[in-house]
Amino acid sequence: MSDKVPTSAGAYWRANLKTVLICLVIWFIVSYGFGIILVDVLNNIRLGGYPLGFWFAQQGSIYTFLALIIFYAWRMNQLDREFDVDEQ
Amino acid sequence: MDLQTLTYLVVGATFALYIGIAIWSRAATTGEFYIAGKGVNPVANGMATGADWMSAASFISMAGLIAFLGYGGSVYLMGWTGGYVLLAMLLAPYLRKYGKFTVPEFIGDRYYSQTARAVAVICLIFISFTYVAGQMRGVGIVFSRFLEVDLLTGLIIGMGVVFVYAVLGGMKGITYTQVAQYVVLITAYIIPAIFISFQITGNPIPQLGLGSTISGTDVYLFDRLDQVVTDLGFNEYTAGGKSAIDIFAITAALMVGTAGLPHVIVRFFTVPRVRDARSSAGWALFFIALLYTVAPAVGAMARYNLTATAWPGGVATAEGAMSIEDRPDWMKRWEQTGLIRFEDKNGDGLIQYYNEASPSGQALAAQHGWAGNELRVDNDIMVLANPEIAGLPNWVIALVAAGGIAAALSTAAGLLLVISSAISHDLLKSMIARNITEKQELMAGRTAAAVAILIAGYLGYNPPGFVAEVVAFAFGLAASSLFPAIMMGIFSKTVNREGAIAGMIAGLAFTMGYILYFKGIFITPLAANIPENWLFGISPEGIGFVGMIINFAVAYGVSKVTAPPPARIQELIESIRSPRGAGAAIDH
């Protein structure tokens, strides 16, 4: 999945993949990690009336997904300009 | 004004609005018919995507599922929202840059193969018809309960409305109608939730109310709910249920399936620029999250209300059950739809509602002389009957009816459009009759949409017994066939025609085979659908996740031993990856 051509297009694509990778790692940790795999452990902690693992599964993960897309859209627009591939 | 008149008025007003919008935004070219001329504002597209995505299942069924599954319902909440992260980062911006009309068109071009395109068309049609049948069933339920017309009349009215705006307006008409439908459905969902949250917890914000204490006590709603449901022999609300591996696989299959659904993907073809496709995915998830973060509150509070109604004299006590004579009016009304039923098995004049399948439920029954659970409640009434259960004013009930219809119609229209464009554009224009004019293609698209509506209506009137079962099919197929093919098409330069076709077929065959093996949709199931028989403990609902992995593996393997994609495809990929030059928008 990587480009070996040392062009600006290649550098843009690598920066893009890095951004996506970071976002997807967080995406995975919050939903599959906190909401499923670690749910029983986290349920020992309470967030108001919510057991924390349950909160991640039914509320927190959705808020995190939204934040991730907002961050991604902002960061990609920044990269587009930096590497001069933005739409004029 | 009585409820009946009010409901007619509210539903009639929304229909007039949809048709008005359709006339204003008629499509004149194939570009407008298929992708609204790429001129949709990203916020409007986000709203339209929300309505397109949130179907009768999200509006009517999901909160009910959560109510009965508790923590287990999380698979739908995470699965049906997490897919937007994949869509925003892995598919939408690139497909927008590519800038053609349909999903099979991209697959056909990227893998330089009409066969690949045909396989994609087959997947798309199967996925979309499965879905449409469910929407029409939703329209039928709402009409028969709230408007008290028979199912056929209700379906014909619903089909007529979709016909007007989908056939005339194409994607352009559908987009702006969906924006209106989003507003109707979200208002209809949130208003009762606010009322109910305030009634139970004193906090009007449902997301916060769910984590609060019950009004006038210092007991958290969750603690009380866990207590009463376990007293009745059910699983604890906030934990338990399915195994972790199965929850993991189902969530993954739903997420990847969501990202691979053609009617959702195609919405991102309609915005002017690549950056709009990215932000539009964010807006879409924002509008979806408004409903999806409220749904857990609606579910939990409905379960709480239902249990309280069924046990007015104390949960799980000898004389605590609701008596047949004193059962509330809303129950009597809903009994006519068959979605709620009671049967006084032990003849004591009371309706005992408990879990007869669990050891603790059976112990309870033996102690008090119960002869089995006497109340059956369909998941689907939780949202629809909620305002009545909570005693809300009639206009709220009328609004919920309009919201349910909006959710079903908006999704149905989006699905019908991708079906018709796959037929007129991918099959007719590119494979069967290459030299038809744009005008003829547009006519073919409209005809295909009209025929698809008739088929959908037929499926809604004669719902095949397997509708509920095949929902797993739709997500499984999207996850195991379309998603990997599109993603590899963008992120890999080495996956070639042979690899993509072999991968799609392998993923599809495995997923279909597994579901048929346990669910037996056209055949008798070959094995009991129980965890002991499942591969790695993964249920048929989650198997699309394994199908996806198989697709990726086969595609890479086959591509390694066959000729690499030609140079022009390498250039196509380079061009998709860079946003510059995405093509001008057409103003609306």
Side-chain angles (χ1 to χ4, degrees):
Chain A
M1 286 207 196
S2 68
D3 288 56
K4 289 174 190 81
V5 205
T7 58
S8 130
Y12 169 74
W13 186 244
R14 277 191 299 280
N16 174 3
L17 290 181
K18 195 175 141 202
T19 311
V20 172
L21 191 70
I22 292 170
C23 290
L24 289 185
V25 167
I26 299 172
W27 167 83
F28 183 87
I29 292 175
V30 172
S31 52
Y32 297 92
F34 295 164
I36 299 175
I37 299 168
L38 299 173
V39 69
D40 292 331
V41 183
L42 290 177
N43 276 350
N44 294 322
I45 307 166
R46 299 293 289 253
L47 188 75
Y50 282 106
L52 189 60
F54 183 93
W55 181 82
F56 269 110
Q58 300 209 342
Q59 298 277 315
S61 56
I62 302 176
Y63 301 131
T64 311
F65 298 153
L66 184 57
L68 284 174
I69 299 183
I70 294 170
F71 166 77
Y72 168 80
W74 168 81
R75 175 72 184 139
M76 288 307 292
N77 288 343
Q78 203 183 35
L79 286 177
D80 288 354
R81 281 190 299 273
E82 210 172 288
F83 288 92
D84 193 31
V85 293
D86 57 327
E87 299 151 285
Q88 281 110 352
Chain B
M1 201 184 302
D2 70 336
L3 176 60
Q4 185 83 355
T5 323
L6 198 63
T7 311
Y8 271 104
L9 221 65
V10 173
V11 173
T14 58
F15 278 11
L17 176 68
Y18 306 153
I19 291 173
I21 293 173
I23 293 170
W24 164 71
S25 56
R26 283 185 313 279
T29 62
T30 48
E32 287 186 346
F33 189 82
Y34 294 136
I35 54 169
K38 298 182 194 166
V40 181
N41 175 285
V43 184
N45 186 55
M47 259 192 211
T49 310
D52 199 28
W53 168 241
M54 292 189 286
S55 60
S58 292
F59 188 93
I60 300 174
S61 309
M62 190 174 68
L65 276 170
I66 298 169
F68 292 105
L69 293 172
Y71 167 74
S74 311
V75 295
Y76 303 106
L77 293 162
M78 287 190 283
W80 288 341
T81 53
Y84 279 85
V85 176
L86 300 176
L87 193 59
M89 296 178 192
L90 303 179
L91 310 183
Y94 307 105
L95 291 175
R96 171 59 195 85
K97 171 62 199 296
Y98 172 68
K100 295 266 182 86
F101 289 161
T102 69
V103 171
E105 189 172 18
F106 171 75
I107 291 181
D109 286 0
R110 163 62 181 82
Y111 296 114
Y112 44 102
S113 159
Q114 291 288 60
T115 314
R117 190 168 179 173
V119 173
V121 168
I122 293 167
C123 298
L124 179 149
I125 288 181
F126 195 90
I127 294 166
S128 304
F129 266 121
T130 306
Y131 245 84
V132 142
Q135 305 315 310
M136 287 299 169
R137 181 179 174 267
V139 173
I141 292 182
V142 174
F143 269 102
S144 59
R145 163 62 189 93
F146 290 100
L147 300 177
E148 290 172 22
V149 297
D150 63 45
L151 185 61
L152 187 63
T153 319
L155 271 178
I156 291 174
I157 300 170
M159 283 160 64
V161 173
V162 174
F163 183 87
V164 171
Y165 68 77
V167 173
L168 275 186
M171 183 57 116
K172 198 173 156 194
I174 287 173
T175 302
Y176 293 107
T177 328
Q178 280 173 338
V179 171
Q181 283 161 335
Y182 176 79
V183 176
V184 172
L185 83 86
I186 200 71
T187 317
Y189 203 84
I190 287 182
I191 287 179
I194 290 174
F195 271 112
I196 292 167
S197 175
F198 187 72
Q199 278 179 353
I200 296 181
T201 66
N203 191 329
I205 301 168
Q207 292 91 334
L208 299 179
L210 184 55
S212 307
T213 53
I214 295 170
S215 285
T217 69
D218 51 7
V219 180
Y220 282 118
L221 176 60
F222 277 123
D223 292 337
R224 178 82 187 126
L225 197 54
D226 276 341
Q227 177 74 49
V228 295
V229 298
T230 45
D231 280 352
L232 293 171
F234 294 102
N235 275 329
E236 202 181 341
Y237 191 85
T238 53
K242 300 181 170 91
S243 71
I245 173 115
D246 198 27
I247 291 201
F248 188 104
I250 296 177
T251 306
L254 294 178
M255 279 190 186
V256 179
T258 299
L261 286 178
H263 70 287
V264 177
I265 295 177
V266 81
R267 286 240 49 96
F268 294 92
F269 290 31
T270 67
V271 292
R273 295 169 304 178
V274 172
R275 55 183 300 171
D276 296 327
R278 297 177 191 139
S279 69
S280 199
W283 282 111
L285 186 59
F286 170 76
F287 292 121
I288 292 167
L290 281 181
L291 191 147
Y292 272 62
T293 54
V294 168
V298 173
M301 290 174 190
R303 179 81 179 267
Y304 175 79
N305 270 341
L306 178 75
T307 315
T309 310
W311 294 95
V315 171
T317 54
E319 299 292 321
M322 158 176 63
S323 76
I324 294 174
E325 280 168 26
D326 297 341
R327 69 189 201 280
D329 288 339
W330 65 264
M331 243 183 92
K332 293 175 190 159
R333 283 195 294 272
W334 280 92
E335 279 160 18
Q336 292 159 13
T337 62
L339 295 176
I340 188 164
R341 283 192 308 276
F342 71 87
E343 183 193 349
D344 191 8
K345 292 176 183 163
N346 61 351
D348 63 354
L350 302 176
I351 305 170
Q352 278 95 16
Y353 169 62
Y354 68 102
N355 184 7
E356 62 187 12
S358 74
S360 62
Q362 284 157 358
L364 206 59
Q367 189 192 338
H368 295 304
W370 300 340
N373 173 39
E374 299 179 347
L375 184 70
R376 304 217 171 267
V377 186
D378 191 287
N379 292 342
D380 285 355
I381 77 167
M382 278 319 192
V383 167
L384 296 177
N386 227 351
E388 293 166 85
I389 298 176
L392 301 184
N394 277 352
W395 63 270
V396 180
I397 304 175
L399 194 61
V400 169
I405 295 173
L409 291 185
S410 57
T411 307
L415 291 162
L416 292 165
L417 189 95
V418 295
I419 294 172
S420 72
S421 47
I423 291 169
S424 61
H425 192 66
D426 293 313
L427 286 184
L428 197 68
K429 172 79 177 169
S430 80
M431 294 180 196
I432 299 166
R434 280 165 186 277
N435 39 19
I436 54 172
T437 64
E438 184 181 331
K439 221 174 158 183
Q440 285 168 318
E441 188 186 341
L442 187 59
M443 194 61 220
R446 291 196 160 128
T447 314
V451 173
I453 290 172
L454 290 178
I455 298 175
Y458 174 81
L459 290 174
Y461 189 61
N462 299 305
F466 53 82
V467 165
E469 268 78 48
V470 286
V471 170
F473 242 151
F475 282 94
L477 288 190
S480 63
S481 62
L482 295 179
F483 177 84
I486 304 170
M487 190 192 148
M488 288 183 293
I490 299 161
F491 285 84
S492 162
K493 287 181 172 176
T494 55
V495 172
N496 61 15
R497 173 178 60 200
E498 292 79 3
I501 296 174
M504 275 196 283
I505 291 174
L508 200 67
F510 170 79
T511 308
M512 263 187 158
Y514 192 85
I515 297 176
L516 287 176
Y517 188 77
F518 287 110
K519 295 231 172 190
I521 286 164
F522 299 105
I523 53 169
T524 342
L526 300 172
N529 190 15
I530 48 169
E532 289 71 35
N533 289 342
W534 295 340
L535 183 67
F536 314 124
I538 296 173
S539 63
E541 284 75 17
I543 204 65
F545 172 62
V546 181
M548 174 196 83
I549 295 171
I550 291 177
N551 184 333
F552 277 123
V554 169
Y556 274 102
V558 171
S559 299
K560 267 209 154 24
V561 295
T562 44
R568 66 183 165 87
I569 298 298
Q570 311 274 356
E571 284 161 28
L572 172 76
I573 300 168
E574 282 293 343
S575 131
I576 291 171
R577 290 177 177 184
S578 161
R580 179 155 293 170
I586 302 157
D587 265 341
H588 279 188

